[in-house]
Amino acid sequence: MGLTKQYLRYVPSAVFGLIGSQKGNIVFVTLRGEKGRYVAVPACEHVFIWDLRKGEKILILQGLKQEVTCLCPSPDGLHLAVGYEDGSIRIFSLLSGEGNITFNGHKAAVTSLKYDQLGGRLASGSKDTDVIIWDVINESGLYRLKGHKDAVTHALFLRERNLLVTSGKDTMVKWWDLDNQHCFKTMVGHRTEVWGLVLVSEEKRLITGAADSELRAWDIAYLQEIDDPEEPEPKKIKECPRTQDTPEAEDGALEADEASEEDRILSCRKAGSIMREGRDRVVSLAVDKTGRILACHGNDSVLEVFCILSKAEIQKKMDKKLKKARKKAKLNTDSGEEDPETSVSMTLQDEIHRVANIKTSSKIKSFDLIHSPQGELKAVFLLQNNLVELYSLNASLPTPQPIRTSRITIGGHRSDVRTLSFSSDNIAMLSAAADSVKIWNRSTLQCIRTMPCEYALCSFFVPGDRQVVIGTKTGNLQLFDLASGNLLETVAAHDGALWSMSLSPDQRGFVTGGADKTVKFWDFELVTDKNSTQKRLSVKHTRTLQLDEDVLCVSYSPNQKLLAVSLLDCTVKVFYVDTLKFFLSLYGHKLPVICMDISHDGALIATGSADRNVKIWGLDFGDCHRSLFAHDDSVMHLRFVPKSHLFFTAGKDRKIKQWDADKFEHIQTLEGHHQEIWCLAVSPSGDYVVSASHDKSLRLWERTREPLILEEEREMQREAEYEESVAKEDQPAVPGETQGDSYFAGKKTIETVKAAERIMEAIELYREETAKIKEHRAICRAAGKEVPLPVNPILMAYGNISPSAYVLEVIKGVKSSELEEALLVLPFSYVPDILSLLNDFIQRGTDIELLCRCLFFLLRIHFGQITSNQMLVPVIEKLKETTISKVRQVQDVIGFNMAGLDYLKRECEAKSEVTFFAEATGLLEEKKRKRRNRRKMILTLT
């Protein structure tokens, strides 16, 4: 075999330039015991934790590949649940930043996450219309709730009762009884999608936000409350809904609450509507933890804040109203007598009043609230233009005014980055967008300069790396000084957009191409300003090349003899630089050439077009060496790696690909961006690639020393495709075809398949080893002496354990969230062995909970086969005896421990009370002593 060409692998190094991405929601998190200072924001596949006070990123929760769509902090503030685009959920520890728990159950993006009050259960809603309840402590799925016909938008646990309320894009609000996992009530009073819901007033009122400008309020009456427990007759239940049977609100389509099956638990009646100022749909609706402040926003930049009054405040307000009404009635009556029938009715506006509107600097994507006991409300916003803002508002004042207390802006551009460049020393990177140019330090990824500019389209560092030149959409050249961060000069270069620039290889000038059908040549020169004696850099226009079409891209050959110009007529024209005479025309692309580059030796030119192809041409005769179908959408940028014939292309299909221009082979694909890629830059050393995308992120890719073998790369690609197909096996072949409802909360993934394979291998090893042990015993008996038994290397690696103990180790090694799905995949032929092993393990009394979970699950799914198998009857009988006795023992231990903990709790409380009283008396004595001393001093003075 001949020598294969060795390539080096590029790997993702960092994501920067992004403050927060649009798909997920922003949340306050508690770190180091501080509330209201830190926020978690989705950042493509990662989650960034920002310090609002310092404006710094302090923690990155590393994701895998999928984009983050939902965040929810746990009630204890120690964990953060993160939902992803592919339906997976990971729970990260905020102390270590590690994601130890993964839940796979949804088939589409997670849209809602909510913990219950204690943080033991997590409800997740998804675009696949399912709601799944997860047990966070046991790390497993409990059950799946099916009923919505479109994406679930919100899910809430009730504090006092084991109920869940969910809303969806199917216009429904559903109430679920979690004791028996069924939907007992569906509210059909909305005409449009329900985008958000909150529970307020001690969970006696539900407020929903839909696609109109109304916030609807619903009164909830829990029927068990009205029930008298001592009353034996169930008549009261029937009478109860009639107490709610007041005339219905305007909405005729609302359900009338009759004493039906669904009203056994609660009844719901529309209380009225609060009108929002916004005319469009509610994007998000939230209430703070105290349940006093309600806020919502639409597709604009205004957050509307409402205050929910307490019973005492409402009473006070009603008393005032009544007093006013009586006074009015007294004035109206001629005789001057008080009208005895003066009464006032309480409206929804009396209970919920508007506090203020918070206007942000851009469109709001999501927000979170925190209400301090002092009455100050903090609202943090994730805005559409890659910005985080924090506002504070004192809701207790008569006319509260929102104040912007901090904003995080420095870490990214407000709009998409359109051009990237590296400095000659590989250390600084330039990124420019519609409003600013930023200079980044490559090693620390810190933004070291931000300079306002016009809409930038192309850029480069001037030789010496002290100045940069920007080409803009208005056709201007802008020259910036990096040391001072000042704009040195703006030169009107073209009448249309300045699409491309190329620095001359002798570094004395550059060439620009624009939409005004001209190519212009410029030289650098030093000029003296009128108001200063020092010279500064400027540019001088030397020559113009007039063409018949708009110029899209220009590129110098390394020997500076040729200039390639890409035109709007889909061709690339090559001219001699000295005489500007025409040399070659490269035609073949079906759509305009957007990007091109010439190799370091001037032998090859590669062109990338909107027709999704890349063509490699020889610059000697203009012949096309090869046409490559490069991307699934337009090729947006192309760059050769310095001193090689390898080049990178970036496409609108969100991929960056590396190619070999000699062998015409695809080397590797760099995936990571979640939207179209606009541009990329390769460092002069070729060790780094930086790319910018519509997802607002900049990504740095680093060349490693790891060799990349193409055959292995293809093999890995095939494996990844196979794994993907395994996970998708259960999906129906015909779109819209429904299969039997999945009862289990989890779903089949490649991890569950691998876990099942490990269990199968362990059982096969157990079978082989037990057969060997039997043989060995027979040999020993025949020989009449002890013969040494060869030990299996796997068992030796585990510390010379028995084959049955090895099976237990493998079962314990399966992730808790994947256990059921792994057992579901197991063929029945392995089940008899597992059952007999489970019997042995349970008798030993270790890991009873895990073993019982496996046992009950296997019995449930293989019930028919197990009961009809005569061989398994004695095993099941034994299991019945041992399991019941061992589970009772575990119950006793837990009961004893609970009683012990209760006793300790009471002791601690008693001790703390004693110390509290001791401290109080001590303080009193101290005050008395001080008073006596003061009196003595006064007496001595007098």
Side-chain angles (χ1 to χ4, degrees), residues 32-53:
R32 301 162 192 163
E34 281 196 73
K35 285 183 181 175
R37 178 173 174 179
Y38 304 101
V39 288
V41 290
C44 293
E45 68 270 32
H46 307 306
V47 176
F48 290 167
I49 311 287
W50 290 93
D51 181 342
L52 291 170
R53 205 173 293 166

Side-chain angles (χ1 to χ4, degrees), residues 596-607:
M596 61 182 178
D597 198 17
I598 297 173
S599 64
H600 70 103
D601 54 5
L604 301 173
I605 177 169
T607 58

Side-chain angles (χ1 to χ4, degrees), residues 273-287:
S273 293
I274 309 158
M275 297 308 290
R276 292 166 47 235
E277 285 180 5
R279 287 276 163 267
D280 50 359
R281 77 171 179 92
V282 172
V283 172
S284 52
L285 174 72
V287 69

Side-chain angles (χ1 to χ4, degrees), residues 300-315:
D300 50 12
S301 59
V302 177
L303 180 82
E304 297 177 47
V305 184
F306 301 90
C307 183
I308 295 149
L309 301 180
S310 64
K311 282 179 183 172
E313 287 170 318
I314 294 167
Q315 193 56 50

Side-chain angles (χ1 to χ4, degrees), residues 175-456:
W175 290 84
W176 307 83
D177 184 347
L178 298 182
D179 291 327
N180 49 22
Q181 298 124 46
H182 87 290
C183 171
F184 66 87
K185 189 175 190 64
T186 301
M187 292 162 60
V188 291
H190 299 88
R191 295 255 188 273
T192 53
E193 300 100 331
V194 183
W195 288 102
L197 56 94
V198 290
L199 285 161
V200 294
S201 309
E202 297 165 357
E203 300 188 340
K204 297 277 175 65
R205 176 160 287 157
L206 178 75
I207 293 172
T208 57
D212 49 22
S213 54
E214 274 183 63
L215 290 181
R216 293 170 177 79
W218 311 80
D219 281 335
I220 303 160
Y222 300 100
L223 306 192
Q224 291 99 323
E225 280 182 8
I226 306 161
D227 253 0
D228 190 354
E230 275 110 49
E231 193 75 27
E233 303 94 12
K235 287 178 188 171
K236 268 202 153 186
I237 296 175
K238 288 194 176 175
E239 284 171 16
C240 172
R242 273 180 226 145
T243 58
Q244 297 291 336
D245 238 52
T246 54
E248 267 298 317
E250 316 84 66
D251 223 332
L254 303 178
E255 71 272 13
D257 285 306
E258 292 158 14
S260 62
E261 276 293 314
E262 63 174 26
D263 288 336
R264 291 275 172 83
I265 298 170
L266 56 84
S267 71
C268 232
R269 181 180 64 84
K270 189 170 180 190
S273 293
I274 309 158
M275 297 308 290
R276 292 166 47 235
E277 285 180 5
R279 287 276 163 267
D280 50 359
R281 77 171 179 92
V282 172
V283 172
S284 52
L285 174 72
V287 69
D288 74 307
K289 280 197 175 79
T290 60
R292 186 165 170 79
I293 301 291
L294 171 77
C296 66
H297 71 89
N299 279 317
D300 50 12
S301 59
V302 177
L303 180 82
E304 297 177 47
V305 184
F306 301 90
C307 183
I308 295 149
L309 301 180
S310 64
K311 282 179 183 172
E313 287 170 318
I314 294 167
Q315 193 56 50
K316 204 174 171 185
K317 204 172 183 181
M318 295 316 292
D319 290 346
K320 251 188 199 173
K321 218 174 176 182
L322 189 63
K323 205 175 177 183
K324 209 173 179 182
R326 280 182 181 157
K327 206 174 182 181
K328 201 175 180 184
K330 197 176 182 181
L331 288 169
N332 290 348
T333 50
D334 300 329
S335 56
E337 284 178 31
E338 204 175 284
D339 189 357
E341 289 190 17
T342 305
S343 65
V344 287
S345 60
M346 186 169 70
T347 61
L348 189 67
Q349 276 64 30
D350 294 324
E351 298 174 62
I352 300 170
H353 83 264
R354 186 181 293 275
V355 176
N357 285 354
I358 299 176
K359 179 99 172 72
T360 58
S361 61
S362 179
K363 204 184 272 187
I364 302 168
K365 277 293 171 189
S366 68
F367 74 99
D368 196 20
L369 302 172
I370 198 161
H371 195 216
S372 66
Q374 290 80 35
E376 189 197 24
L377 175 77
K378 281 185 179 177
V380 70
F381 299 92
L382 175 60
L383 304 180
Q384 191 192 26
N385 60 351
N386 194 26
L387 198 61
V388 169
E389 288 188 342
L390 176 73
Y391 285 80
S392 67
L393 179 80
N394 197 336
S396 55
L397 296 174
T399 52
Q401 289 298 319
I403 304 155
R404 189 170 76 201
T405 51
S406 72
R407 67 197 306 226
I408 300 170
T409 61
I410 198 96
H413 289 276
R414 303 287 73 78
S415 56
D416 292 3
V417 171
R418 290 285 172 173
T419 173
L420 291 163
S421 300
F422 265 100
S423 63
S424 60
D425 57 5
N426 306 292
I427 288 172
M429 296 182 290
L430 173 150
S431 66
D435 55 352
S436 62
V437 183
K438 284 182 184 283
I439 308 294
W440 307 83
N441 181 321
R442 197 213 70 239
S443 52
T444 63
L445 301 175
Q446 294 297 316
C447 176
I448 46 181
R449 277 280 179 279
T450 300
M451 301 165 285
C453 70
E454 292 174 23
Y455 198 121

Side-chain angles (χ1 to χ4, degrees), residues 635-652:
V635 181
M636 296 306 293
H637 216 89
L638 186 151
R639 275 285 168 269
F640 271 98
V641 176
K643 301 183 181 60
S644 76
H645 279 185
L646 309 178
F647 64 93
F648 282 98
T649 59
K652 274 191 180 177

